[in-house]
Amino acid sequence: MEADKKIKVECLTWTESWELFRMKLGEDTLDFHPEIPELAQAVAQECCGLPLVLTTTGRAMACKKTPQEWKYAIEVLRNSASKFPGMGDKVFPLLKYSYDCLPTEVARSCFLYCALYPEDSHISKFDLIKRWFCEGFLDEFDDMKRAQNQGYNIIGTLIHACLLEETDVDYYVKLHDVIRDMALWIACETGKGQDKFLVQAGGGVN
């Protein structure tokens, strides 16, 4: 994305925000403990009325069933901006919480790899899994055929977390521009000094 490209972000009203967050969260989680509704509203308020943030955070919190987990989430969402200063410090740290909630480091590495694809790409699931395998991310099996199941499972995990989107064609997925920028931001901000690949916005896969 060009540095001078501006995107108008429409914020929802509080009522609209809460309804969207509640829908993504699910009534089962909301009703699981009497303290959760109030804590859930506090989390939703941290999402700044941004639909993408509400959606990704709501889905990430859907499996959190204790007040302690919700209180921890509130602390993370309120403090992460100061931990990750710079571009996107009001939005990306909120989106990053869904990334942090991914179940394994393998899933996180696979997600970051998706940012190597150009903006607006329709990404072949098979091609993506093959590249993950060649990069050594799919570590449960030593042959491509058996690793495909692990790859499809990771794709499903990323879709459920709203970090990848389904397309009209079942064999393809795509990465929302904002999510891609967030992935690049994570790679640049948290990958320094670590054994992780770094990607540039102008780069891509061949």
Side-chain angles (χ1 to χ4, degrees):
M1 185 176 292
E2 297 177 2
D4 59 352
K5 183 178 180 180
K6 296 181 180 179
I7 299 175
K8 183 179 180 181
V9 179
E10 297 288 346
C11 293
L12 303 179
T13 65
W14 165 243
T15 300
E16 293 169 334
S17 297
W18 174 238
E19 286 302 314
L20 176 59
F21 185 81
R22 185 171 181 163
M23 179 177 66
K24 298 301 179 181
L25 180 65
E27 294 297 320
D28 288 345
T29 299
L30 199 62
D31 296 334
F32 194 83
H33 190 282
E35 291 184 34
I36 288 180
E38 183 177 353
L39 294 169
Q41 290 192 29
V43 170
Q45 287 171 347
E46 293 299 318
C47 295
C48 306
L50 298 172
L52 188 60
V53 179
L54 288 159
T55 297
T56 53
T57 306
R59 292 294 290 272
M61 296 303 297
C63 62
K64 309 299 184 184
K65 302 295 180 68
T66 67
Q68 290 79 12
E69 290 174 300
W70 281 86
K71 290 174 183 177
Y72 175 73
I74 292 169
E75 289 299 317
V76 170
L77 295 175
R78 286 177 177 171
N79 296 328
S80 56
S82 62
K83 294 178 183 177
F84 300 98
M87 183 177 178
D89 63 355
K90 293 186 182 298
V91 175
F92 289 167
L94 297 177
L95 295 177
K96 185 179 179 292
Y97 187 69
S98 294
Y99 164 84
D100 291 336
C101 285
L102 290 173
T104 64
E105 186 62 31
V106 171
R108 287 186 280 273
S109 295
C110 287
F111 165 68
L112 292 181
Y113 187 87
C114 294
L116 287 168
Y117 286 85
E119 284 185 23
D120 302 320
S121 293
H122 280 214
I123 304 169
S124 162
K125 293 180 182 179
F126 178 78
D127 178 74
L128 182 59
I129 292 170
K130 181 173 68 175
R131 292 177 184 276
W132 284 345
F133 180 75
C134 292
E135 291 288 344
F137 297 150
L138 306 182
D139 55 357
E140 291 184 9
F141 305 102
D142 56 5
D143 66 271
M144 176 60 190
K145 186 174 182 179
R146 297 175 66 199
Q148 284 187 49
N149 290 334
Q150 183 187 4
Y152 278 107
N153 182 66
I154 291 172
I155 287 174
T157 297
L158 296 178
I159 290 173
H160 179 76
C162 296
L163 295 174
L164 279 181
E165 298 180 17
E166 296 181 283
T167 68
D168 294 335
V169 181
D170 186 52
Y171 304 109
Y172 289 85
V173 291
K174 62 182 180 179
L175 196 64
H176 191 286
D177 287 349
V178 175
I179 297 294
R180 180 177 182 270
D181 287 347
M182 186 265 291
L184 293 168
W185 174 79
I186 291 173
C188 291
E189 290 295 318
T190 66
K192 293 174 182 176
Q194 300 179 26
D195 186 20
K196 292 184 178 180
F197 58 87
L198 295 178
V199 294
Q200 293 181 319
V205 293
N206 295 318

